[in-house]
């Protein structure tokens, strides 16, 4: 295969048009012939978080476990993108395979959708569903707002995900090539490049210089496969157009969030596209859609930036999911960099490649034009080279204007201040869901839970459990139907919760029985902590979601239920009980700082996280408490800290009330890390987290073993109530991140730059 065909093929992988079903048997059978999976109302959310979660699932497959970043990106594209498919024995479900396919395969669909036609109730519109390219003549009703597929939602703009992976896939595998070498098998083009033909209106000297420069120009694969390819394709089509176009980039679009409750239920369109982005509708009709939509530009920029910098990192010890998760966070990739390197800063970062981008776009546009249209003179006169130059200059002018506008309106203020260390709670969430209520009430309540889970740090050493319990009338008990287990994918949780039919679930809800089961659950966990001699666990939160029911029980009165809540908060004071409901009757249970009642509104998930969950510290435990003898022996907790965040830990006062000389030692396991450790004591209140600092210290200042020592004499004396002790750990402001990953255990490390630390105590006694 000629080198040009390879490069053009790589470029076109970023501009995939829908293919006939018969040429792609595997994906077609799973994703297009299966109407249950194909149904647009039953798809997984199109988010970067969901894509990362599914990539993690692939990374855990035996065949993929040792793939580096380049191999993983290339194989994902070959397996799931609509061009270049290959068979890989990945044990994934049909919905996961199709979700990866739809998120990585870029195409446009300008078929008018049923909701765009007044009075049309055909939800699926199967007889009208045809994806078309940007340069074809439609023979059907056109949409006013075509759908752009192969794009995913991020907090930093919608991104064509396939192009991000393409930059990484070709970074290590395709050699650079001169433009002249691309056409060695096409004699007429070679003759043209080497000739000194004088054409009317040409300046022979100038054009010969242009030819020589063009012949010697090197096309770099990762430029061609990312942003330079986007801009070059737009310029090539503009040069070949009889009329040209004033708008050569764009448009943007808006997300729709579609939910269908059950196979035969009415379609609901939720108002919050952030929770469950399903379809991306462009702002303009197909005739005004360029070959470089904003999503393609975002993906092209990100693909280029990652391709350029990936060589600076030790890619052998990194996972693709880790790179993407850091890059699309507010702190960026912190390895070997002195500035925020992430999507939040993409438009400032791309400035460094302005000159090279211009050169690459010129060369690629010239190659694309000659390959696609031959040596025909452009319809608007002039020479091929001159016409290409004019189109490229126009495209680049609009592109850099787009960059400057984007700097001013979005990403410039979205990166986290490096001196700001927000809390990073690791919280296990237990949701008890009452299914009594109207469909709209249930949908709003589910969205609260989805919004909350989206904000949690789902990771093996982070939030590693989200359990949802509902009533089941066949067994008259609560059954755990959703447990993320090892999934760590909020998109997967949202898919299960919002797309599952709960019509067979009982509408009755017994609060007394639910509280009894919650108590039994945490009694079992407390026994497990003692048996395993644990030094600490994730914070625990119990969330009752009751859209419309009153607090009722078949055999317990309101007073008894109030006593059950009071007894639970006394026995498990560090576990908050939250009630999200529309009925004011639940307010009677919110009488202590650890019990909170909120009404169901669209921003309730955000409020729950901001006002409660974010303030829940790690539960520091002592197995000796509750035993017949509490001897004060050493106990240790080992945690992981993400640079740029703060970890808060709490020892409840009940674990201190027999202590006399209590000592805590906090240490970073990496000797090069410098941690700031602070401590303080105050009354337990989940609305307040920052300690009234009794003291702070840095591990680098410690004289021995780089430990910060916290000493408390008689912490529960007669003159002071036994308040909890809070300990916070963060990276010191003068600490610079490591150039190499320091956290390499894939089973525990969420990010490669996490810092392991330990908290050891001695002298702790409980009465």
């Amino acid at each position: 295969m000629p080198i040009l065909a390879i490069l053009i093929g790589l470029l076109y992988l970023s501009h995939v048009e829908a293919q006939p079903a018969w040429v792609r048997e595997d994906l077609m059978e799973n994703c297009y012939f299966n109407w249950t999976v194909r149904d647009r109302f039953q798809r997984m959310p199109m988010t970067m978080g969901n894509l990362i979660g599914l990539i993690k699932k692939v990374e855990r497959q035996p065949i993929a476990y040792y793939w580096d970043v380049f191999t993983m990106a290339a194989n994902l594209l070959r397996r799931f993108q609509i061009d270049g498919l290959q068979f890989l024995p990945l044990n994934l479900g049909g919905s996961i395979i199709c979700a990866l396919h739809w998120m990585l395969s870029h195409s446009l669909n300008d078929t008018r959708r049923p909701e765009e036609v007044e009075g049309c109730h055909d939800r699926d519109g199967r007889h009208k569903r045809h994806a078309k390219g940007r340069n074809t003549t439609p023979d059907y009703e056109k949409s006013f707002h075509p759908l752009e597929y192969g794009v995913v939602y991020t907090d930093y703009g919608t991104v064509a995900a396939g192009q991000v992976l393409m930059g990484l896939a070709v970074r290590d595998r395709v050699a650079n090539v001169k433009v002249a070498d691309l056409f060695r098998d096409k004699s007429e083009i070679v003759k043209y490049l080497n000739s000194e033909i004088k054409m009317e209106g040409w300046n022979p000297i100038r054009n010969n210089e242009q030819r020589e420069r063009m012949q010697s120009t090197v096309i770099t694969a990762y430029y061609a496969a990312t942003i330079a390819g986007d801009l070059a394709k737009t310029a090539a089509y503009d040069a070949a157009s009889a009329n040209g176009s004033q708008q050569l980039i764009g448009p943007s679009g808006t997300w729709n969030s579609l939910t269908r409750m059950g196979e035969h239920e009415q379609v609901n369109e939720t108002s919050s596209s952030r929770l469950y982005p399903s379809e991306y509708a462009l702002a303009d009709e197909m005739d005004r859609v360029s070959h470089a939509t904003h999503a393609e530009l975002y993906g092209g920029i990100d693909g280029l930036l990652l391709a350029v910098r990936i060589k600076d990192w030790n890619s052998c010890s990194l996972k693709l999911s880790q790179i993407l998760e850091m890059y699309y966070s507010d702190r960026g990739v912190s390895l070997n960099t002195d500035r925020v390197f992430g999507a939040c800063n993409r438009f400032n970062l791309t400035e460094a490649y302005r000159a090279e981008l211009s050169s690459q776009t010129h060369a690629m546009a010239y190659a694309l034009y000659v390959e696609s249209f031959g040596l025909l003179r452009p319809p608007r006169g002039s020479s091929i080279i001159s016409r290409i130059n004019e189109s490229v200059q126009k495209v680049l002018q609009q592109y850099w204007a787009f960059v400057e506008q984007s700097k001013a309106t979005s990403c410039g203020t979205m990166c986290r201040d490096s001196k700001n260390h927000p809390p990073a709670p690791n919280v296990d969430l237990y949701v008890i869901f009452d299914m009594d209520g109207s469909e709209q009430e249930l949908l709003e309540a589910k969205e609260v839970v989805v919004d909350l889970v989206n904000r949690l740090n789902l990771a093996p050493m982070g939030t590693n459990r989200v359990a949802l319990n509902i009533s089941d009338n066949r067994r008259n008990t609560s059954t755990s139907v959703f447990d993320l287990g090892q999934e760590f994918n909020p998109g997967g949780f949202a898919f299960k919760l919002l797309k599952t039919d709960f019509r067979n679930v009982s509408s009755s809800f017994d609060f007394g029985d639910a509280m009894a089961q919650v108590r039994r659950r945490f009694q079992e966990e407390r026994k497990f902590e003692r048996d395993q001699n644990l030094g600490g666990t994730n914070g625990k939160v119990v969330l009752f979601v009751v859209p419309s029911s009153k607090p009722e029980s078949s055999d317990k009165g309101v007073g008894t239920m109030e006593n059950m809540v009071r007894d639970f908060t006394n026995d498990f004071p560090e576990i908050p009980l939250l009630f999200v409901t529309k009925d004011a009757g639940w307010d009677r249970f919110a009488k202590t700082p650890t019990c909170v009642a909120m009404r169901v509104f669209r921003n309730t998930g955000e409020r729950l996280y901001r006002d409660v969950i974010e303030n829940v510290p790690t539960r520091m435990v002592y197995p000796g408490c509750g035993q017949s003898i509490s001897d004060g022996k050493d106990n240790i907790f080992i945690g992981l800290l993400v640079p740029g965040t703060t970890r808060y830990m709490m020892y409840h006062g009940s674990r201190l009330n027999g202590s006399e000389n209590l000592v805590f030692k906090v240490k970073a396991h990496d000797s090069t890390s410098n941690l700031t450790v602070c401590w303080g004591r105050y009354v337990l209140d989940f609305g307040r987290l920052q300690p009234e600092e009794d003291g702070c210290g840095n591990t680098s200042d410690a004289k021995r073993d780089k430990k910060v020592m916290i000493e408390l004499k008689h912490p529960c004396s007669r003159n002071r109530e036994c308040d909890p002790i809070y300990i916070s750990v963060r990276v010191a402001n003068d600490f610079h991140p490591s150039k190499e990953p320091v956290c390499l255990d894939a089973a525990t490390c969420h990010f490669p730059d996490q810092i392991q630390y330990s908290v050891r105590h001695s002298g702790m006694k409980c009465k």
Side-chain angles (χ1 to χ4, degrees):
M1 179 182 293
I3 297 176
L4 177 62
I6 296 175
L7 280 176
I8 300 300
L10 287 171
L11 175 62
Y12 272 72
L13 278 175
S14 301
H15 300 277
V16 177
E17 308 295 344
Q19 300 292 320
W22 57 269
V23 300
R24 299 290 182 261
E25 293 182 3
D26 184 39
L27 288 181
M28 299 304 110
E29 182 68 27
N30 279 289
C31 307
Y32 295 96
F33 296 160
N34 184 334
W35 287 103
T36 301
V37 175
R38 174 178 169 175
D39 186 350
R40 56 192 284 237
F41 298 101
Q42 291 291 348
R43 297 184 181 184
M44 297 188 79
M46 300 292 109
T47 65
M48 180 59 72
N50 187 36
L51 176 60
I52 291 170
L54 298 183
I55 290 175
K56 289 179 180 179
K57 196 175 186 69
V58 175
E59 289 170 342
R60 292 195 296 271
Q61 297 287 309
I63 190 176
Y65 191 78
Y66 294 105
W67 288 348
D68 60 19
V69 172
F70 311 113
T71 305
M72 175 61 71
N75 282 334
L76 284 172
L77 293 174
R78 282 195 287 265
R79 177 63 179 88
F80 298 110
Q81 205 172 34
I82 203 166
D83 276 1
L85 298 181
Q86 71 173 19
F87 175 74
L88 292 174
L90 299 175
N91 184 22
L92 303 171
S95 61
I96 294 176
I97 289 175
C98 295
L100 284 167
H101 164 62
W102 286 319
M103 284 190 278
L104 296 177
S105 303
H106 190 272
S107 63
L108 300 174
N109 184 348
D110 69 339
T111 306
R112 183 170 296 183
R113 298 178 294 284
E115 61 267 23
E116 294 184 277
V117 182
E118 185 177 357
C120 180
H121 301 288
D122 177 11
R123 290 176 302 189
D124 294 328
R126 299 174 186 175
H127 61 289
K128 297 180 180 179
R129 199 164 305 284
H130 305 286
K132 296 291 183 180
R134 279 166 272 204
N135 299 306
T136 58
T137 301
D139 56 356
Y140 50 84
E141 284 190 278
K142 291 181 62 178
S143 169
F144 295 111
H145 301 284
L147 296 180
E148 186 174 13
Y149 295 133
V151 299
V152 297
Y153 171 89
T154 81
D155 289 337
Y156 311 101
T158 297
V159 172
Q163 289 177 265
V164 179
L165 268 61
M166 185 65 71
L168 294 170
V170 304
R171 181 65 175 93
D172 199 41
R173 284 168 171 74
V174 181
N176 300 331
V177 61
K178 292 182 179 180
V179 172
D181 294 337
L182 298 175
F183 302 98
R184 286 177 176 174
D185 61 339
K186 297 189 177 183
S187 58
E188 72 281 5
I189 296 178
V190 173
K191 181 179 179 181
Y192 168 76
L193 290 173
N194 294 326
S195 70
E196 295 184 0
I197 299 175
K198 297 182 180 180
M199 300 180 65
E200 184 178 355
W202 279 35
N203 180 324
I205 297 177
R206 183 189 65 190
N207 283 282
N208 286 334
E209 290 175 350
Q210 289 177 330
R211 280 204 199 97
E212 291 176 2
R213 185 171 67 251
M214 193 62 67
Q215 290 181 59
S216 62
T217 298
V218 173
I219 293 180
T220 303
Y222 55 81
Y223 271 93
T226 57
I227 185 63
D230 295 323
L231 301 178
K233 189 176 183 183
T234 295
Y237 275 101
D238 179 69
S241 171
N243 300 320
S245 174
Q246 296 300 315
Q247 187 65 34
L248 296 177
I249 65 173
S252 61
T254 56
W255 282 100
N256 295 323
S257 183
L258 304 174
T259 303
R260 188 170 74 178
M261 304 300 298
E263 184 177 354
H264 303 292
E265 297 294 327
Q266 180 65 37
V267 174
N268 291 287
E269 182 170 343
T270 66
S271 62
S272 178
S273 62
R274 182 182 181 277
L275 294 181
Y276 205 93
S278 303
E279 294 178 337
Y280 190 65
L282 293 173
D284 297 330
E285 296 184 57
M286 182 67 85
D287 293 342
R288 300 182 61 188
V289 176
S290 75
H291 289 279
T293 66
H294 287 180
E296 290 177 289
L297 293 178
Y298 281 27
I301 294 172
D302 294 346
L304 172 64
L305 293 174
L306 287 170
V308 170
R309 289 304 301 271
I310 188 66
K311 288 292 188 178
D312 295 338
W313 308 322
N314 184 357
S315 58
C316 293
S317 58
L318 296 177
K319 296 292 187 182
L320 174 62
S321 60
Q322 292 177 321
I323 293 293
L324 294 177
E325 193 162 5
M326 287 191 292
Y327 183 81
Y328 288 101
S329 71
D330 60 357
R331 70 186 187 97
V333 183
S334 63
L335 299 172
N336 193 20
T337 181
D338 56 356
R339 62 190 302 192
V340 178
F341 187 85
C344 64
N345 196 33
R346 64 162 69 93
F347 295 112
N348 289 315
L349 295 171
T350 193
E351 288 281 0
Y353 308 101
R354 183 185 285 261
E356 185 68 13
L357 179 59
S358 175
S359 173
Q360 290 289 315
T361 303
H362 275 87
M364 195 64 196
Y366 182 73
L368 278 172
Y369 183 94
V370 174
E371 172 68 11
S372 302
F373 306 107
L375 299 178
L376 294 176
R377 191 169 181 173
R380 284 173 280 167
S382 186
S383 69
I384 293 176
I385 294 178
S386 297
R387 186 69 198 97
I388 287 291
N389 286 341
E390 292 173 9
S391 293
V392 169
Q393 289 301 323
K394 187 164 62 170
V395 169
L396 288 174
Q397 183 179 13
Q398 292 188 21
Y399 168 73
W400 288 113
F402 164 75
V403 169
E404 291 302 319
Q405 181 182 10
S406 299
K407 284 183 187 178
T409 58
S410 58
C411 294
T413 60
M414 298 180 71
C415 297
R416 185 194 307 168
D417 185 345
S418 60
K419 295 183 179 180
N420 181 24
H421 301 269
N426 288 342
V427 175
D428 291 342
L429 185 64
Y430 298 82
V431 183
I432 294 87
F433 211 123
D434 172 26
M435 288 296 156
D436 188 17
S438 68
E439 183 173 318
Q440 185 61 33
E441 288 175 328
L442 291 177
L443 182 59
E444 290 177 354
K446 288 180 179 182
E447 287 183 346
V448 169
V449 179
V450 169
D451 188 17
L452 180 57
V453 171
N454 281 344
R455 300 172 188 276
L456 298 177
N457 172 34
L458 300 181
M461 293 292 286
T463 292
N464 54 41
R465 182 178 181 84
V466 178
L468 175 68
N469 295 268
I470 58 178
S471 298
D472 187 330
N473 60 352
R474 289 167 294 185
R475 290 186 289 180
N476 194 27
T477 184
S478 291
T479 305
S480 178
V481 293
F482 296 136
D483 191 339
L484 284 185
Q486 298 299 308
E487 287 292 333
F488 310 124
N489 181 4
F493 178 83
F495 175 70
K496 293 176 182 178
L497 180 57
L498 293 176
K499 302 297 184 180
T500 299
D501 184 0
F502 289 99
R503 289 175 297 179
N504 294 326
V505 177
S506 171
S507 61
S508 62
F509 178 71
D510 193 308
F511 179 57
D513 286 348
M515 277 303 306
Q517 291 191 45
V518 168
R519 168 177 281 277
R520 286 195 296 270
R521 176 56 189 256
F522 286 108
Q523 286 174 335
E524 293 172 358
E525 291 208 8
R526 182 172 284 180
K527 181 179 183 302
F528 176 80
E529 293 165 3
R530 288 198 299 264
D531 294 343
Q532 299 298 315
N533 195 35
L534 298 182
T537 71
N538 284 351
K540 312 290 183 182
V541 173
V542 178
L543 173 62
F544 288 90
V545 182
V546 189
S548 60
S549 297
K550 298 181 181 298
E552 296 176 340
S553 178
S554 60
D555 58 352
K556 299 176 180 66
V558 173
T560 301
M561 290 187 288
E562 287 182 342
N563 291 336
M564 295 178 73
V565 171
R566 184 195 61 215
D567 293 343
F568 180 87
T569 57
N570 288 336
D571 295 339
F572 302 93
E574 69 273 39
I575 301 177
L577 296 177
L578 309 180
F579 303 93
V580 174
T581 178
K582 288 187 175 180
D583 188 272
W586 293 89
D587 294 348
R588 70 175 68 245
F589 302 110
K591 296 180 178 180
T592 67
T594 60
C595 295
V596 178
M598 289 188 182
R599 300 293 179 263
V600 178
F601 295 108
R602 296 201 182 279
N603 66 340
T604 301
E606 178 185 2
R607 289 179 54 216
L608 281 171
Y609 183 82
R610 182 190 64 229
D611 296 344
V612 181
I613 304 295
E614 191 176 43
N615 300 328
V616 175
T618 296
R619 292 175 62 246
M620 306 300 282
V621 299
Y622 178 42
C625 291
Q627 302 295 313
S628 57
I629 300 176
S630 177
D631 54 17
K633 289 184 177 179
D634 283 9
N635 187 246
I636 188 171
F637 168 78
I638 297 177
L640 289 172
L641 174 67
V642 177
T645 66
T646 303
R647 285 291 303 275
Y648 290 90
M649 298 154 283
M650 181 192 74
Y651 289 92
H652 192 264
S654 61
R655 308 186 193 281
L656 314 175
N657 55 20
S659 305
E660 296 181 359
N661 297 309
L662 181 58
V663 178
F664 298 93
K665 301 175 183 178
V666 184
K667 176 183 179 180
H669 286 203
D670 176 17
S671 60
T672 64
S673 300
N674 183 19
L675 302 182
T676 296
V677 181
C678 297
W679 60 94
R681 301 185 69 185
Y682 56 87
V683 177
L684 178 64
D685 182 358
F686 288 112
R688 172 188 179 198
L689 186 58
Q690 186 67 37
E692 295 175 350
E693 296 170 352
D694 293 338
C696 288
N698 287 348
T699 56
S700 62
D701 298 334
K703 295 181 180 180
R704 294 182 301 173
D705 299 328
K706 293 191 174 182
K707 296 177 182 177
V708 172
M709 305 277 290
I710 305 171
E711 299 182 73
L712 299 176
K713 293 185 180 296
H714 303 289
C716 298
S717 64
R718 295 179 181 178
N719 297 328
R720 181 171 185 174
E721 293 185 6
C722 204
D723 295 334
I725 178 170
Y726 287 80
I727 301 175
S728 67
V729 177
R730 63 175 175 83
V731 173
N733 286 331
D734 60 352
F735 174 72
H736 297 287
S738 172
K739 294 183 178 181
E740 297 293 338
V742 295
C743 195
L744 303 179
D745 185 356
T748 58
C749 298
H750 191 178
F751 298 114
D753 59 346
Q754 282 181 297
I755 298 171
Q756 191 176 71
Y757 68 93
S758 62
V759 180
R760 183 185 296 272
H761 64 75
S762 60
M764 184 174 291
K765 295 182 179 181
C766 314
K767 291 183 179 179

